[in-house]
Amino acid sequence: MNNVKKKGKIIVMSMLALFISIFSCTTETDEESTVGNWSKTTPLKGRQRSGAVSFTIGDKAYVGLGYDGDDYLSDFYVYDVNLGFWESLGDFPGEMREQAVAFSINGKGYMGLGLNKDLDKEELKDFWEYDPETDQWTPVADFEGTARYRAIGFSIGDVGYVGTGYDGDNHNSDFWKYNPEEDSWDEIVGYPGDKIESGFGFVIDGKAYIGGGISNDSYSIDFWEFTPAADGSSVSWTRRTPSDDESYYDEFRLAVYRYDAVAITAGTKAYVVGGVSSSGAVTKDVYEFDATTFSWDQLTSYEGSARSLAVGFVLNDRIFVGTGQNGSSKYDNFWEFKPNEEYDEEY
């Protein structure tokens, strides 16, 4: 009888040790799989806001405009990554707005389109050039598509590109290129996916990638690669939506099924941060896209409050995300993301 009890104890203890071993391995694996670390950095000098614009020139980022919940804003600020300091610039002289597009070409910033509900014509189509040497804005040729907001804008080489968005009546898929030397707009081959607003776009190695957004109150799962010809005379589109049997399809679907997210490029990878997920909730999820493999991975979530309509930029390979909104809350804080570091709760 005693021998039976001893054997029973041995079996129970062995099973307990096995359970602890399995639990320990699982916990260790989970910790190892948590990649990416966020640290709080200098907040924007101006008011809390959403729907701001940002562009970078050299090792400085320029952020301004947007909506603070009561007023549309015209202020602009520059962030020096070497000093970790925001400096006030002159106010933007045109109509105040939110949800515009912006990019930089050859040391100048460009900004246009957007929304201002205080105007008779709420949607805007004007475009402006910013000279950091003089801190001056100069109007350039108006966008030649319909006035709109929640569009996508980016630059590749010496050319700017703008497309998609909502014009007050319709979602759009048209695309246009801007030549700053000629101060002219030309329509090019449009986005082959859904007609969308609030999609995201980023550029890696001379190619743009566009996806997400909403169309007719439905989330879009389209994801396309945009390649301009070397001389800028034409463009081609390649579908990059993976098949559902790819190992990273679930991550891809969660990354793209959202709107009003931030997309930032660092090297051959891009990061989609926040926005409104397919559940309708504002999220803080972060997904990494690798342009060498077209694969997607989930990384450590944004450590600030969940938010949409934020801005992001990269300076000296350092990634920053800030401002934005969640419901009636607006934000001015910024966080730096280090995608190759292990997560650390202390910041």
Side-chain angles (χ1 to χ4, degrees):
M1 187 68 175
N2 288 338
N3 288 338
V4 172
K5 288 183 179 179
K6 287 181 181 179
K7 287 181 180 179
K9 288 181 180 178
I10 292 172
I11 292 172
V12 170
M13 292 299 291
S14 298
M15 291 180 67
L16 180 60
L18 179 61
F19 173 79
I20 292 171
S21 176
I22 292 172
F23 178 79
S24 299
C25 290
T26 302
T27 303
E28 184 178 351
T29 301
D30 288 345
E31 289 177 352
E32 289 177 354
S33 66
T34 306
V35 179
N37 195 38
W38 292 89
S39 58
K40 204 169 187 178
T41 186
T42 312
L44 183 70
K45 188 174 181 180
R47 280 186 273 175
Q48 300 166 340
R49 70 194 66 205
S50 62
V53 296
S54 69
F55 54 85
T56 60
I57 299 174
D59 58 359
K60 294 182 179 180
Y62 298 79
V63 175
L65 304 182
Y67 182 64
D68 70 0
D70 294 310
D71 300 307
Y72 293 95
L73 305 173
S74 62
D75 53 340
F76 249 87
Y77 304 89
V78 59
Y79 181 71
D80 188 320
V81 70
N82 298 312
L83 300 176
F85 175 75
W86 289 94
E87 180 183 354
S88 299
L89 299 172
D91 286 355
F92 172 67
E95 297 287 2
M96 296 174 282
R97 67 196 70 196
E98 65 169 325
Q99 301 178 56
V101 298
F103 48 81
S104 59
I105 300 173
N106 293 332
K108 302 284 182 67
Y110 294 87
M111 187 283 302
L113 311 186
L115 173 73
N116 185 326
K117 292 183 178 180
D118 293 337
L119 302 176
D120 291 336
K121 173 59 177 173
E122 297 179 354
E123 297 80 25
L124 299 165
K125 65 184 302 182
D126 56 331
F127 240 83
W128 296 72
E129 178 186 84
Y130 176 74
D131 186 342
E133 297 296 323
T134 61
D135 187 24
Q136 295 293 318
W137 290 91
T138 304
V140 296
D142 284 357
F143 179 65
E144 292 198 13
T146 56
R148 66 189 69 181
Y149 63 106
R150 290 185 167 183
I152 293 171
F154 54 86
S155 61
I156 298 176
D158 298 335
V159 179
Y161 298 93
V162 176
T164 70
Y166 184 66
D167 62 17
D169 294 309
N170 301 296
H171 295 100
N172 293 279
S173 60
D174 57 331
F175 249 85
W176 300 74
K177 69 175 182 178
Y178 175 69
N179 184 331
E181 289 189 4
E182 299 177 1
D183 189 23
S184 63
W185 292 90
D186 292 295
E187 189 169 11
I188 57 177
V189 178
Y191 180 57
D194 292 330
K195 295 178 180 180
I196 57 170
E197 62 172 296
S198 300
F200 61 79
F202 52 82
V203 176
I204 299 177
D205 289 337
K207 297 181 179 181
Y209 297 84
I210 294 169
I214 50 176
S215 178
N216 300 312
D217 297 323
S218 297
Y219 288 77
S220 174
I221 200 168
D222 288 328
F223 186 59
W224 290 79
E225 177 185 282
F226 169 97
T227 307
D231 61 1
S233 61
S234 62
V235 300
S236 62
W237 294 90
T238 304
R239 186 176 177 84
R240 293 300 182 190
T241 302
S243 62
D244 58 11
D245 60 357
E246 289 283 2
S247 61
Y248 51 82
Y249 181 79
D250 288 343
E251 287 78 6
F252 160 79
R253 185 180 178 86
L254 290 170
V256 174
Y257 240 40
R258 67 186 60 216
Y259 67 90
D260 286 342
V262 176
I264 321 106
T265 299
T268 60
K269 295 181 180 180
Y271 303 90
V272 177
V273 182
V276 181
S277 71
S278 58
S279 69
V282 178
T283 182
K284 55 171 65 181
D285 292 346
V286 177
Y287 289 87
E288 178 187 75
F289 170 72
D290 188 333
T292 62
T293 60
F294 303 111
S295 60
W296 292 83
D297 284 301
Q298 185 173 12
L299 304 187
T300 302
S301 295
Y302 186 70
E303 283 197 59
S305 301
R307 64 193 64 192
S308 62
L309 292 174
V311 299
F313 52 82
V314 175
L315 295 173
N316 297 349
D317 297 323
R318 296 171 62 185
I319 302 169
F320 299 87
V321 176
T323 69
Q325 70 177 31
N326 188 338
S328 61
S329 298
K330 307 286 183 179
Y331 303 107
D332 58 9
N333 54 11
F334 268 83
W335 293 69
E336 180 179 355
F337 184 49
K338 300 171 184 177
N340 298 316
E341 287 189 4
E342 289 187 7
Y343 172 64
D344 184 353
E345 289 186 9
E346 298 297 326
Y347 58 83

